[in-house]
């Protein structure tokens, strides 16, 4: 099956700093990638849709200046959490859409802890 | 707005029994619905997809039904095993965008 990787798998940062999370589709090209956030015991909430070569579209309530998304190639999308605060601590998960199969494949997630 | 609900209470069953998980949705007519498995600290893993014109889909010990009149999907695991213990998520797929709307998940615990 298709594989999506995320890096890092976990990160601890200080309040006020920025953190970049990478999402890669390893064996297929993904014109569309999605970024989700999941708080403990809650469901995945879609944050934004990332399309290769164009600006990301953000869901209502998600600050685009705080969560910067770059989808520079067909296999890589990055999410940068800028000026992180403790309330940004969460599990961030990306997915990549294989349009040929009309399926989304999820990465293993990145645990962000802001101290 | 679209809403998707799963039983938030954990489901505890004995090994060998059939586990049945429920997913109900409102205010939407999805083209298809997906089921995922999520283990603690991991991303979701795709299990099954069922389209609006399909009543039932099977894959090994898994079976999914889709009733567009009731706006409900049922997910069955037959001959359950302790290794099936995980959280199971259902997700609606928004037409034309591929965006997924997830339910909150139901945690299944299979006891040996």
């Amino acid at each position: 099956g298709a594989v999506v990787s995320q890096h890092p798998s976990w990160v601890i940062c200080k309040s006020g700093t920025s953190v970049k999370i990478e999402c890669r589709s390893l064996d297929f090209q993904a014109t569309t990638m999605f970024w989700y956030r999941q708080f403990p015991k809650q469901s995945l909430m879609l944050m934004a849709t990332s399309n290769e070569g164009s600006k990301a579209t953000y869901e209502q309530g998600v600050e685009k200046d705080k969560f910067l998304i770059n989808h520079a190639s067909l296999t890589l999308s990055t999410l940068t959490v800028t000026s992180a605060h403790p309330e940004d601590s969460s599990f961030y998960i990306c997915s990549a859409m294989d349009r040929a199969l009309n399926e989304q494949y999820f990465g293993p997630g990145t645990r962000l802890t802001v101290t | 707005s679209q809403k998707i609900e799963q039983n938030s209470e954990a489901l505890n069953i004995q090994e060998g029994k059939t586990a049945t998980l429920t997913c109900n949705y409102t205010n939407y007519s999805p083209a298809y619905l997906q089921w995922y498995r999520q283990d603690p600290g991991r991303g979701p893993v795709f299990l099954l997809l069922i389209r609006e014109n399909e009543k039932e889909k099977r894959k090994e010990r898994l079976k999914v039904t889709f009733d567009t009149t009731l706006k409900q999907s049922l997910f069955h695991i037959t001959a359950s095993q302790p290794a099936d213990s995980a959280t199971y998520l259902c997700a609606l797929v928004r037409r034309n965008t591929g965006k997924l709307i997830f339910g909150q998940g139901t945690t299944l615990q299979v006891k040996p």
Side-chain angles (χ1 to χ4, degrees):
Chain A
V3 178
V4 175
S5 70
Q6 278 185 244
H7 177 81
S9 56
W10 60 270
V11 57
I12 301 173
C13 72
K14 293 192 174 183
S15 191
T17 61
S18 295
V19 173
K20 180 186 281 189
I21 302 170
E22 292 186 350
C23 176
R24 293 180 186 273
S25 58
L26 298 185
D27 49 3
F28 67 99
Q29 292 184 332
T31 52
T32 303
M33 290 183 172
F34 300 91
W35 286 95
Y36 297 83
R37 181 166 52 182
Q38 186 177 34
F39 292 105
K41 305 243 183 257
Q42 293 187 26
S43 187
L44 281 78
M45 297 299 295
L46 180 64
M47 298 175 66
T49 302
S50 168
N51 292 299
E52 187 266 337
S54 63
K55 287 184 179 179
T57 55
Y58 291 79
E59 295 297 304
Q60 195 171 8
V62 178
E63 300 174 58
K64 61 179 171 59
D65 294 330
K66 181 168 183 62
F67 299 99
L68 302 179
I69 291 172
N70 187 294
H71 193 158
S73 77
L74 288 172
T75 59
L76 173 65
S77 176
T78 61
L79 167 69
T80 301
V81 183
T82 62
S83 187
H85 288 103
E87 56 265 32
D88 297 324
S89 299
S90 188
F91 192 49
Y92 291 87
I93 307 171
C94 73
S95 71
M97 171 79 88
D98 183 333
R99 288 230 177 256
L101 297 177
N102 209 16
E103 288 179 7
Q104 283 190 39
Y105 298 95
F106 284 80
T110 297
R111 172 74 59 193
L112 169 64
T113 302
V114 185
T115 60
Chain B
S1 61
Q2 299 97 16
K3 197 173 179 182
I4 184 165
E5 289 185 345
Q6 294 181 252
N7 191 342
S8 58
E9 291 184 13
L11 178 63
N12 296 298
I13 65 168
Q14 206 65 36
E15 182 176 8
K17 300 291 185 184
T18 296
T20 299
L21 286 70
T22 304
C23 176
N24 295 294
Y25 60 92
T26 57
N27 297 330
Y28 199 63
S29 296
Y32 49 96
L33 186 148
Q34 298 182 348
W35 283 88
Y36 291 81
R37 169 181 173 142
Q38 187 176 27
D39 291 284
R42 306 292 296 173
V45 174
F46 172 78
L47 295 175
L48 279 169
L49 177 154
I50 186 164
R51 300 180 192 282
E52 60 182 337
N53 60 349
E54 297 175 316
K55 295 290 185 188
E56 183 180 296
K57 203 82 169 277
R58 290 176 186 262
K59 180 182 175 183
E60 298 172 354
R61 293 185 295 112
L62 309 180
K63 184 178 85 171
V64 172
T65 62
F66 194 9
D67 188 325
T68 54
T69 302
L70 290 178
K71 294 188 183 293
Q72 181 181 78
S73 175
L74 298 179
F75 178 78
H76 306 272
I77 306 175
T78 58
S80 59
Q81 304 166 1
D84 295 326
S85 299
T87 296
Y88 292 86
L89 305 167
C90 70
L92 296 179
V93 183
R94 285 185 183 167
R95 294 176 189 269
N96 301 321
T97 66
K99 292 183 182 180
L100 293 174
I101 307 170
F102 280 91
Q104 72 271 40
T106 297
T107 298
L108 171 66
Q109 190 74 29
V110 181
K111 298 185 187 302

